Amino acid sequence: GGRFDSIFFSAENKRFKSMADVARFLNLVDAPTRGQRDTKAPSRPKKVTEKKKLKRELDKLMKLKVKASKALEDHNNEEFVDEFPASDDSLWADGSNASKAHKAGMIVPQSDIESFPGIPTHCTPDLLMVWDFLCTFGRTLSLQP
């Protein structure tokens, strides 16, 4: 709404889209026709336009660098959330020998997963998952001998 185009016609039915086109047709104005360049007007040297393009590109890259640096700084400053929101005491309340040694104040030796005889290394995650299941549900399922 509210937008319209004015079109002018000559006696020969030639179509003009602006008064400037009519003035050119009637030779009232010494101006180039639409789409033609004035050969007298100095054009910008290629070096100047290339420099401007490169400057614009450099400005864009600098803005992106600042943005990326800020995102990295924000990422480095974030506080890490624990994967397991359980308290440390609840982790040692499973009744295992390790929990008894922990409660007694003895140092629990670091486990050596590589020394399980007869169990391939690629099966270790499955073994630990089964062990965790049995520790959790052993009493409920009455798995004691």
Side-chain angles (χ1 to χ4, degrees), residues 49 79 105 140:
T49 56
E79 291 183 26
T140 307

Side-chain angles (χ1 to χ4, degrees), residues 44-109:
R44 290 185 181 164
K46 260 190 171 177
K47 282 186 179 181
V48 173
T49 56
E50 283 295 318
K51 279 184 180 180
K52 284 189 177 185
K53 285 181 185 178
L54 289 173
K55 183 165 177 20
R56 270 188 257 136
E57 188 67 27
L58 182 64
D59 288 342
K60 284 182 190 177
L61 290 173
M62 292 301 287
K63 286 179 184 177
L64 286 173
K65 179 187 174 198
V66 168
K67 191 175 181 180
S69 297
K70 187 177 181 308
L72 178 64
E73 184 178 329
D74 290 346
H75 174 72
N76 289 338
N77 291 337
E78 287 179 357
E79 291 183 26
F80 292 100
V81 178
D82 292 333
E83 286 184 32
F84 303 106
S87 66
D88 288 339
D89 294 335
S90 66
L91 295 175
W92 292 105
D94 62 351
S96 66
N97 288 333
S99 68
K100 291 176 187 171
H102 175 71
K103 287 179 184 173
M106 299 184 328
I107 298 174
V108 179

Side-chain angles (χ1 to χ4, degrees), residues 32-47:
T33 58
R34 201 175 278 226
Q36 292 180 345
R37 270 191 131 180
D38 188 5
T39 55
K40 295 177 185 176
S43 63
R44 290 185 181 164
K46 260 190 171 177
K47 282 186 179 181

